[in-house]
Amino acid sequence: MRSYPNTNTYVSPKVNDIMEKYQDEIGISLATRATSAAPTYFPQVQFLDGGSKLIFWDGGLLNNNPIDQLWSSRYDLVEPDEPESYVSCVISLGTSYVMADNPSSSWFQLLGTASSVMDFATNTNTKGKDFSRHMSVLQKRGHHAKTEYLRFNPSLQNEKIDLADYWTVKELITITERECCHKQSEQEFLERAVDAICC
């Protein structure tokens, strides 16, 4: 779902054709529900096109951190024979993380293994670190030498908060302010972000 015309084919022709033809009719409400329709938390979202129907779930299992999709989408803004757009800054906002537990005997039990696999599959911080390594390689090349990549993602330390526990929003705000706003290192990070955006 994009706010600009996009004719690239990413998925099956039927889905792509419907999205290309009707994407202007997808409002913010449907887009928000479609991209946050996490199974077991929110119902799937349907988009009807006459006799056709698209069903949306959120991309949490494979794309909980969609940084790769964002980075690739800059090619959508130019024609295939044009040079890629210059990017001065990529800012990634995480939703917090906890350090992984040490493997235990439960690791070898079915439920423990399934839970661990899900944790790895939905880990946004790992994807952020992968992209950081990718950017450090690109920054050694002329075109991206000044491109900044900044990820803000507060650590919960040992405070485990369940995804569905909306009563802890105030606690999350306090943790975020402590981790991202009051530390000198984070202030320097914020200043780098401002400098990159206002280049």
Side-chain angles (χ1 to χ4, degrees):
M1 298 178 185
R2 291 166 170 78
S3 59
Y4 53 85
N6 180 39
T7 57
N8 290 324
T9 300
Y10 298 104
V11 291
S12 69
K14 179 181 177 183
V15 173
N16 208 78
D17 291 347
I18 294 173
M19 290 301 294
E20 185 179 344
K21 185 176 180 181
Y22 294 101
Q23 64 183 352
D24 291 344
E25 298 178 17
I26 296 176
I28 190 71
S29 173
L30 187 140
T32 302
R33 288 183 291 120
T35 55
S36 61
T40 75
Y41 292 107
F42 300 108
Q44 62 189 24
V45 174
Q46 295 183 4
F47 178 67
L48 301 176
D49 158 36
S52 302
K53 175 172 65 173
L54 295 181
I55 296 176
F56 293 100
W57 279 5
D58 87 320
L61 186 58
L62 298 174
N63 293 310
N64 231 2
N65 181 343
I67 189 70
D68 290 332
Q69 287 76 14
L70 170 71
W71 185 246
S72 297
S73 68
R74 72 193 194 286
Y75 292 110
D76 297 341
L77 304 175
V78 294
E79 294 298 322
D81 58 343
E82 295 176 345
E84 64 184 90
S85 304
Y86 172 69
V87 178
S88 64
C89 183
V90 176
I91 294 180
S92 177
L93 303 178
T95 57
S96 76
Y97 69 96
V98 293
M99 299 301 291
D101 290 331
N102 291 325
S104 64
S105 59
S106 66
W107 179 272
F108 301 101
Q109 297 173 1
L110 179 60
L111 289 177
T113 301
S115 175
S116 297
V117 168
M118 284 299 292
D119 285 346
F120 286 130
T122 58
N123 188 320
T124 62
N125 219 37
T126 301
K127 176 70 80 172
K129 289 181 179 180
D130 284 345
F131 190 77
S132 180
R133 285 190 288 270
H134 175 65
M135 284 304 304
S136 67
V137 171
L138 288 180
Q139 286 165 342
K140 295 175 183 174
R141 300 172 179 270
H143 187 65
H144 296 292
K146 294 184 178 179
T147 300
E148 285 272 21
Y149 169 62
L150 303 162
R151 178 162 171 79
F152 297 92
N153 195 28
S155 169
L156 293 179
Q157 306 293 338
N158 295 322
E159 303 175 60
K160 293 196 175 183
I161 297 176
D162 187 80
L163 183 63
D165 191 359
Y166 60 90
W167 292 105
T168 58
V169 170
K170 287 184 178 179
E171 185 180 351
L172 286 170
I173 291 172
T174 300
I175 292 170
T176 302
E177 289 176 343
R178 181 190 72 210
E179 294 293 316
C180 293
C181 300
H182 298 314
K183 290 184 176 178
Q184 180 61 30
S185 59
E186 294 299 323
Q187 281 299 315
E188 293 170 1
F189 219 50
L190 285 167
E191 289 172 13
R192 280 175 57 194
V194 171
D195 289 342
I197 293 170
C198 302
C199 62

